[in-house]
């Protein structure tokens, strides 16, 4: 612990409202934090830096539960580090989201009956900027609702002037180092978005299609191939077989007729072909399949493009002008008419790539594009993790990272869009190619034109950790806050974003990686573990839950489910439970303030404290140490759970209850306990603050009179431990818990008073008799006391006189009836589980349910028998 509370001015302990109303508190508090500059970061500060960048949300987006989850974790980390004395920068900003944003604006134009081509490129880009100013970025306001402690004065946008300069600079450097080049290769093409997309922007799913086996060639020189994309056969330039396949050795090197065309194509031998799959022969369409393209390169085959950018057939003949799916059916029908269809399988489930933006089936297409040669960049990104400069957490995620960076293909970075960073390359009238850096003059004159493509969005967001700090200028912010301390992001974009930042950061910053640690979290799912989606009907707007239960409740629920790298289930009843926790903190603090809890002056000496006081301070320090260790290991769920149980169970349910008799008695012991309770609340509220900032700010400032818990010192473990006090209070808890359980078993009401004799002499419980009687509603034994039940617990004995309190005959009869029912349930469950015929036919979930019934019956029988044994004789 720290003596922070001693350093704060004494508070007048303004009375708190009887109920906590988040809606009245959260908005004004957040604006006060921003106005006072608590979240800003000073590059001139001598404090040690702590830097985290926000994974920039799309400018088209709004806050969803995934954002709320991730932001809660980052905010907790940065708030704690700020309290620990670090110059803390949480860098905010948004991504221009090329395809997504262009699609949104094009849809808006469509409502006016226009397309982007009606406006022209310059006017369309201006229209996008206008949309961005009016409608984009609503997520910023939602981040404020959540309590995000970001440095708003440093907010950046990937199309800002400074970030655009960074993009142009790194493109030029990579180009000059021959790590960017232009080449014609197979790319993933979206016929809807009319642009290339990268491999990681393709979503694969099993679609029902058709597998058609068809015969090429004539007579003895025929060969059967199978395909799910019959329309591409118009672009076939070979059939490939394995060199060792004896079935086709006589055909290798020969020309066979390609059906429906006037062409003949060769049979080539290539080790890529699997002789065990299908017929062992594959059609080769170099312009429309990435594997076929590689075969074509090895055998110097021509590449025939037979579809345009809209996936419409361009090959001359009867199929020209047909959409690819229309052409597929027409071509199969024509082959069937010629007797060339050997087999047809429908439906045939197979993995098909779809555009992650619009869900259109992608089309592999030969196209001239710009590429990053990722080999040396990816090696550097892998080495930085292997040599320990960057740590991935949880460590088991390293394998997925290496599987990706060690096998990266060159990255297609050009997109056929108008919104984005335009490629800084100019073409001259005589074939000149000039790459222009930010300090270069673009060539002018007749015949010079700039490349029309823009860069992949991930190209600019890959620069985010250093471009946001002013790079390529050597700014004070860059020197202070690079590299980032930690990157907190979902495992689902490990490949999209993290690998790009690693490659670019190491390249641009002379081998210094962009962050020390990559902390990966899972995805938010519904309470049944199902992915949240509007189509599933289980998507949740986090603002609805924040409106209903408060932002702290949502944050605490999300943090309490955050185990590293594991998906997070969440349901509304869990948020409601977290709201109850916030209310519990509020009510307990109100009680404490009304009963003399204070932070005035130093803590009393241990000799002045009761065992209860020493116990809670010992436990408090243990929790401080535990929470610190869990933060360092990114164990948000465990640290939240530890704080929940310490605050609710130990502080509020035990310490406050055990101290009530002390407060009621008054005098010096009450003053000592009031100071101890003030210390415990001060530290507990500071520990809770990073996860539940609003309620803790209100309570802490009221308790301590301090300016803000945002800038209070983070608690440290003072080392105070009292094992004897902890053991003593554990014994006390055992007595109270056991007697309460017995009372409940006997059907006594919680407030019903029972005469009791306590035998505590010779135990550590002797000083606690008053508290035991108060908490258990035990009145002193009278002259007519008769011990009808005796409970030995923790070395003490509690004798109860239940005569006149319960109807012993009726209670014994009730318990006997319950016991008979439980034994019948057990017999029925055992009979079913002992029936081999039943077990052979019953589904696993049914069998598991019956096993659960058996276990429950065993528990009930044991419990009821214990109650009967303890019940006094009538």
């Amino acid at each position: 612990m720290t003596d922070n509370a001693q350093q704060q001015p004494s508070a007048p302990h303004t009375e708190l409202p009887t109920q906590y109303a988040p809606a009245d508190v959260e908005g004004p508090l957040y604006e006060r934090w921003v106005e006072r500059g608590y979240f800003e970061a000073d590059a001139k500060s001598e404090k040690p830096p702590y830097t985290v960048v926000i994974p920039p949300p799309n400018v088209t987006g709004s806050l969803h539960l995934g954002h709320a989850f991730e932001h809660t974790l980052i905010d907790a980390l940065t708030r704690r580090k700020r309290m620990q004395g670090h110059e803390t920068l949480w860098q905010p900003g948004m991504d221009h989201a090329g395809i997504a944003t262009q699609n949104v604006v094009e849809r808006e134009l469509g409502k006016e009956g226009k397309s982007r081509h009606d406006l022209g490129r310059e006017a369309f880009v201006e229209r996008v900027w206008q949309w961005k100013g009016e409608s984009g970025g609503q997520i910023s306001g939602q981040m404020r609702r959540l309590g995000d402690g970001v440095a708003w004065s440093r907010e950046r946008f990937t199309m800002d002037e400074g970030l655009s300069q960074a993009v142009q600079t790194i493109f030029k450097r990579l180009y000059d180092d021959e790590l960017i080049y232009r080449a014609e290769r197979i790319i993933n093409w979206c016929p809807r978005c009319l642009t290339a997309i990268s491999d990681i922007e393709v979503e694969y799913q099993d679609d029902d299609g058709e597998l058609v086996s068809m015969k090429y060639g004539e007579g003895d020189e025929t060969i059967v191939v199978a395909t799910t994309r019959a329309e591409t056969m118009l672009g076939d330039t070979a059939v490939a077989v394995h060199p060792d396949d004896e079935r086709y050795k006589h055909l290798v090197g020969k020309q066979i007729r390609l059906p429906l065309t006037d062409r003949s194509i060769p049979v080539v031998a290539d080790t890529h072909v699997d002789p065990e799959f299908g017929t062992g022969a594959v059609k080769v369409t170099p312009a429309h399949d990435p594997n076929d393209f590689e075969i074509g390169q090895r055998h110097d085959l021509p590449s025939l493009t037979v579809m345009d950018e809209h996936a419409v057939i361009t090959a001359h003949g009867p199929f020209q002008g047909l959409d690819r799916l229309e052409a597929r059916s027409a071509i199969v029908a024509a082959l069937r008419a010629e007797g060339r269809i050997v087999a047809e399988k429908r439906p045939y489930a197979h993995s098909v790539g779809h555009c992650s933006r619009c869900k259109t089936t992608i089309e592999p297409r030969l196209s001239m594009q710009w590429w990053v040669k990722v080999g040396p960049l990816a090696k550097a990104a892998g080495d930085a993790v292997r040599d320990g400069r960057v740590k991935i957490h949880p460590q088991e995620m390293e394998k997925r990272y290496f599987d990706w960076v060690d096998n990266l293909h060159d990255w297609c970075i050009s997109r056929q869009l108008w919104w984005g960073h335009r490629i800084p390359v100019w073409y001259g009238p005589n074939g000149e190619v000039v790459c222009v850096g930010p300090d270069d003059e673009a060539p002018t004159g007749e015949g010079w034109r700039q490349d029309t493509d823009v860069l992949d969005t991930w190209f600019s967001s890959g620069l985010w950790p250093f471009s946001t700090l002013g790079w390529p200028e050597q700014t004070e912010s860059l020197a202070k806050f690079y590299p980032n301390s930690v990157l907190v992001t979902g495992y689902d974009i490990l490949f999209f974003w993290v690998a790009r930042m690693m490659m670019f950061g190491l390249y641009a910053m002379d081998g210094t990686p962009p962050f020390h640690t990559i902390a990966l979290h899972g995805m938010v799912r519904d309470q049944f573990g199902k992915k949240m989606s509007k189509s599933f009907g289980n998507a949740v707007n986090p603002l609805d839950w924040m409106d209903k239960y408060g932002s702290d409740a949502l944050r605490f629920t999300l943090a309490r489910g955050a185990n590293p790298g594991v998906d997070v289930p969440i349901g509304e009843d869990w948020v409601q439970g977290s709201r109850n926790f916030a209310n519990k903190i509020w009510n307990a603090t109100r009680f404490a303030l009304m009963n003399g809890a204070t932070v005035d002056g130093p803590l009393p000496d241990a000799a002045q404290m009761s065992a209860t006081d020493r116990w809670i301070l010992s436990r408090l320090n243990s929790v401080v140490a535990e929470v610190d260790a869990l933060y360092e290991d990114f164990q948000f769920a465990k640290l939240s759970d530890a704080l929940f149980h310490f605050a609710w169970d130990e502080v509020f349910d035990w310490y406050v209850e055990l101290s009530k008799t002390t407060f009621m008695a008054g005098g010096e012991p009450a003053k000592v306990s009031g100071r101890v309770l003030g210390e415990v609340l001060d530290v507990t509220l500071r520990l809770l603050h990073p996860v539940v900032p609003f309620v803790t700010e209100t309570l802490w400032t009221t308790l301590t009179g301090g300016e803000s818990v945002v800038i209070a010192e983070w608690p440290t473990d003072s080392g105070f431990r009292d094992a004897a006090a902890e053991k003593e209070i554990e014994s006390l808890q055992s007595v109270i818990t056991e007697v309460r359980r017995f009372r409940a078993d006997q059907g006594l009401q919680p407030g019903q008073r029972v005469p009791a004799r306590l035998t505590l002499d010779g135990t550590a419980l002797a000083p606690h008799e008053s508290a035991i009687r108060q908490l258990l509603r035990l009145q002193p034994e009278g002259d007519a006391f008769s011990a009808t039940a005796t409970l030995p617990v923790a070395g003490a004995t509690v004798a109860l006189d239940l005569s006149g309190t319960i109807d012993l005959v009726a209670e014994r009869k009730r318990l006997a009836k319950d016991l008979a029912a439980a034994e019948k349930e057990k017999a029925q469950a055992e009979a079913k589980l002992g029936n081999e015929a039943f077990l052979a036919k019953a589904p696993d979930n049914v069998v598991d349910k019956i096993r659960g019934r058996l276990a429950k019956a065993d528990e009930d029988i044991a419990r009821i028998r214990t109650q009967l044994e303890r019940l006094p004789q009538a």
Side-chain angles (χ1 to χ4, degrees):
M1 294 178 293
T2 70
D3 59 352
N4 181 71
Q6 303 168 30
Q7 300 166 4
Q8 299 295 339
S10 176
H13 292 338
T14 305
E15 186 175 338
L16 291 166
T18 55
Q19 290 185 327
Y20 177 51
D24 297 338
V25 170
E26 293 175 351
L29 267 188
Y30 187 83
E31 292 310 314
R32 190 183 312 154
W33 292 334
V34 173
E35 288 166 8
R36 292 179 178 177
Y38 293 154
F39 305 139
E40 295 303 322
D42 183 4
K44 293 183 170 63
S45 168
E46 294 184 1
K47 297 178 182 178
Y50 187 81
T51 316
V52 185
V53 293
I54 196 171
N58 289 351
V59 69
T60 57
S62 61
L63 191 72
H64 56 64
L65 271 180
H67 287 125
F69 172 57
E70 187 167 77
H71 291 198
T72 294
L73 305 188
I74 300 174
D75 197 41
L77 290 174
T78 53
R79 283 180 183 269
R80 172 175 174 262
K81 285 296 182 181
R82 190 178 293 112
M83 294 172 75
Q84 286 182 316
H86 289 256
E87 193 62 32
T88 302
L89 169 59
W90 183 8
Q91 173 67 54
M94 287 180 289
D95 192 282
H96 66 280
I99 296 176
T101 304
Q102 180 157 319
N103 282 347
V104 168
V105 178
E106 286 197 80
R107 282 197 295 271
E108 293 296 314
L109 284 174
K111 296 175 183 177
E112 303 170 15
K114 297 179 182 178
S115 73
R116 61 183 164 116
H117 299 286
D118 294 324
L119 272 66
R121 183 169 192 146
E122 187 174 335
F124 176 77
V125 170
E126 183 60 36
R127 179 69 175 262
V128 180
W129 276 108
Q130 178 185 339
W131 175 88
K132 189 258 181 186
E134 295 173 356
S135 306
Q138 61 175 309
I139 201 167
S140 296
Q142 295 165 336
M143 287 167 60
R144 292 171 182 265
R145 282 290 314 277
L146 191 64
D148 288 2
V150 299
W152 286 113
S153 68
R154 293 172 173 267
E155 187 174 12
R156 296 293 181 265
F157 180 54
T158 49
M159 290 281 284
D160 284 348
E161 182 178 349
L163 273 65
S164 296
Q165 182 184 18
V167 168
Q168 196 172 353
T169 298
I170 201 162
F171 187 100
K172 170 71 171 172
R173 291 188 186 179
L174 288 165
Y175 181 88
D176 290 346
D177 286 344
E178 298 183 347
L179 292 172
I180 282 183
Y181 63 95
R182 192 168 184 245
E184 189 175 44
R185 290 189 176 182
I186 291 284
I187 48 89
N188 302 300
W189 181 264
C190 176
R192 157 61 184 80
C193 297
L194 298 180
T195 182
I197 60 175
S198 66
D199 291 343
I200 52 179
E201 292 171 301
V202 178
E203 294 179 347
Y204 287 91
Q205 65 185 48
D206 284 344
D207 287 356
D208 283 338
E210 60 181 355
L211 180 65
V212 179
S213 298
M214 47 198 182
K215 183 169 59 177
Y216 286 9
E218 304 291 349
D220 293 337
E221 296 181 351
T222 61
I223 196 166
V224 175
V225 297
T227 183
T228 57
R229 301 167 66 221
E231 69 279 8
T232 63
M233 60 88 60
L234 299 174
D236 286 358
T237 56
V239 170
V241 298
H242 193 275
D244 299 331
D245 195 330
E246 295 292 337
R247 293 172 295 176
Y248 302 117
K249 279 197 171 182
H250 68 290
L251 291 177
V252 173
K254 293 188 176 181
Q255 298 280 327
I256 59 173
R257 178 172 173 258
L258 179 66
L260 308 182
T261 71
D262 294 327
R263 294 189 291 116
S264 292
I265 58 176
V267 177
V268 298
D270 195 282
T271 54
H272 171 76
V273 179
D274 179 2
E276 303 297 324
F277 184 78
T279 64
V282 298
K283 57 191 288 298
V284 181
T285 320
H288 293 279
D289 183 274
N291 293 322
D292 292 3
F293 177 77
E294 298 296 331
I295 293 174
Q297 293 288 296
R298 288 194 288 272
H299 297 276
D300 198 24
L301 299 173
S303 297
L304 302 181
T305 300
V306 296
M307 274 181 271
D308 67 11
E309 61 185 7
H310 298 279
V312 171
I313 299 298
T314 57
H316 291 298
F319 312 109
Q320 187 174 13
L322 294 180
D323 171 83
R324 56 182 166 172
L325 297 181
E326 296 172 331
R328 183 175 301 170
S329 299
I331 287 171
V332 171
L335 289 168
R336 191 183 298 113
E338 287 193 3
R340 291 187 173 273
I341 298 298
V342 176
E344 297 177 70
K345 185 175 181 180
R346 296 188 187 88
Y348 177 73
H350 62 124
S351 182
V352 177
H354 296 260
C355 173
S356 62
R357 299 295 181 186
C358 69
K359 312 309 177 187
T360 301
T361 300
I362 62 102
E363 192 64 45
R365 186 169 189 258
L366 188 63
S367 179
M368 182 67 75
Q369 301 286 342
W370 286 94
W371 304 80
V372 172
K373 186 184 295 182
V374 300
L377 302 175
K379 182 181 184 302
D383 289 346
V385 174
R386 286 189 170 95
D387 63 25
R389 281 175 290 157
V390 178
K391 298 189 182 303
I392 293 179
H393 192 280
Q395 190 173 2
E396 54 264 27
M397 287 285 182
E398 281 186 4
K399 183 180 184 302
R400 294 181 65 177
Y401 177 79
F402 292 136
D403 285 347
W404 181 257
V405 297
D406 292 348
N407 297 285
L408 269 179
H409 300 296
D410 284 359
W411 172 19
C412 177
I413 55 172
S414 45
R415 299 291 181 267
Q416 289 64 56
L417 304 171
W418 287 357
W419 172 245
H421 295 282
R422 196 155 171 191
I423 287 176
V425 171
W426 270 255
Y427 305 105
N430 299 311
E432 303 95 332
V433 179
V434 176
C435 181
V436 176
D439 299 323
D440 302 331
E441 289 289 333
T444 57
E446 187 175 350
W448 283 93
R449 59 183 178 83
Q450 186 178 359
D451 196 298
T452 58
D453 289 351
V454 300
L455 288 163
D456 177 10
T457 299
W458 297 104
F459 190 95
S460 52
S461 60
L463 313 180
W464 192 248
F466 51 94
S467 64
T468 52
L469 298 173
W471 187 89
E473 301 299 324
Q474 297 304 305
T475 64
E476 286 183 321
S477 290
L478 188 65
K480 178 73 174 179
F481 296 113
Y482 186 93
N484 285 201
S485 306
V486 62
L487 174 73
V488 180
T489 192
Y491 64 73
D492 55 319
I493 58 171
L494 180 62
F495 317 127
F496 283 88
W497 190 43
V498 179
R500 311 300 189 205
M501 288 189 290
M502 286 286 283
M503 291 191 296
F504 282 165
L506 289 159
Y507 173 79
M509 299 301 293
D510 300 320
T512 302
F515 17 74
H516 297 301
T517 302
I518 302 168
L520 298 171
H521 59 72
M523 299 171 63
V524 177
R525 297 181 178 272
D526 72 12
Q527 64 196 88
F528 305 107
K530 191 174 182 181
K531 182 179 178 181
M532 285 193 172
S533 166
K534 289 181 180 178
S535 60
F536 294 155
N538 63 350
V540 174
N541 182 346
L543 293 176
D544 292 341
W545 283 352
M546 286 192 278
D547 289 341
K548 195 170 181 180
Y549 303 110
S551 298
D552 284 333
L554 176 63
R555 289 171 60 115
F556 193 71
T557 304
L558 291 166
R560 208 171 173 195
N563 291 297
V566 179
D567 289 346
V568 183
I570 183 172
E572 184 170 1
D573 55 337
W574 302 342
V575 185
Q576 185 175 353
S578 295
R579 188 271 314 274
N580 296 343
F581 178 53
N583 289 341
K584 183 78 170 181
I585 301 170
W586 184 272
N587 293 333
T589 305
R590 282 189 74 247
F591 169 85
L593 290 174
M594 291 188 293
N595 284 274
T598 179
V599 297
D600 294 339
L603 279 171
D605 291 336
Q608 297 176 268
M609 297 181 193
S610 69
T612 309
D613 295 332
R614 297 194 307 276
W615 161 72
I616 197 63
L617 289 175
S618 182
R619 286 293 305 126
L620 178 66
N621 277 284
S622 294
V623 169
V624 169
E626 180 184 6
V627 168
D628 268 334
L630 292 170
Y631 260 116
E632 295 304 315
D633 199 34
F634 305 101
Q635 296 282 357
F636 296 98
K638 291 181 179 179
L639 72 89
S640 298
D641 213 46
L643 287 170
F644 173 87
H645 287 293
F646 175 71
W648 191 307
D649 300 343
E650 298 188 76
V651 179
F652 305 147
D653 279 358
W654 281 111
Y655 182 72
V656 168
E657 290 299 317
L658 289 171
S659 301
K660 281 182 178 178
T661 53
T662 304
F663 290 133
M664 289 171 61
E668 191 60 28
K671 290 181 181 179
V672 171
S673 291
R675 179 64 188 89
V676 170
L677 179 54
E679 179 76 8
V680 171
L681 285 174
D682 168 28
V683 173
T684 302
L685 290 170
R686 282 186 277 149
L687 289 173
L688 282 165
H689 173 73
V691 181
V692 284
F694 294 107
V695 68
T696 52
E697 171 80 340
T698 305
L699 296 176
W700 187 85
T701 53
T702 302
L703 171 71
T704 68
E707 179 184 339
S708 172
V709 71
V710 176
I711 54 172
E713 291 181 24
W714 180 253
T716 55
D717 177 8
S718 71
F720 176 82
R721 298 291 191 279
D722 193 323
E726 289 197 36
K727 185 176 181 181
E728 181 175 329
I729 301 305
E730 284 173 9
S731 297
L732 177 59
Q733 290 171 329
S734 296
V735 170
I736 293 171
T737 300
E738 186 63 23
V739 176
R740 278 177 173 166
R741 184 181 297 120
F742 177 77
R743 287 176 56 109
D745 287 345
Q746 305 311 314
L748 296 176
Q749 295 300 314
Q752 190 172 354
R753 293 197 168 274
V754 177
R757 177 186 297 141
L758 305 184
T759 306
L760 308 175
D761 293 342
T763 74
L765 297 173
H768 301 286
E769 179 168 354
S770 177
I772 292 172
R773 289 189 176 276
Q774 176 70 23
L775 292 174
L776 291 173
R777 304 294 190 269
L778 302 179
Q779 62 191 38
E781 56 189 284
D783 294 338
F785 179 82
S786 174
T788 57
T790 302
L791 305 176
V793 189
T797 302
V798 179
L800 303 173
D801 183 356
L802 300 181
S803 58
T805 341
I806 59 174
D807 184 336
L808 295 176
V809 174
E811 183 64 14
R812 189 173 293 279
K813 185 176 180 181
R814 181 185 70 81
L815 289 172
K817 182 179 178 183
D818 290 346
L819 179 61
E823 289 174 338
K824 181 179 179 182
E825 174 74 3
K826 176 179 180 178
Q828 290 175 341
E830 286 179 333
K832 286 188 176 181
L833 294 174
N835 186 334
E836 294 295 335
F838 170 78
L839 292 177
K841 295 179 180 179
D844 289 344
N845 64 318
V846 173
V847 175
D848 289 341
K849 187 175 181 180
I850 294 171
R851 286 184 178 135
R853 284 168 50 193
L854 176 59
K856 175 68 166 53
D858 282 333
E859 290 175 7
D860 289 344
I861 290 168
R863 175 180 54 80
I864 296 167
R865 283 176 176 167
T866 300
Q867 290 176 243
L868 282 166
E869 288 169 5
R870 288 179 167 180
L871 198 65
Q873 295 300 316

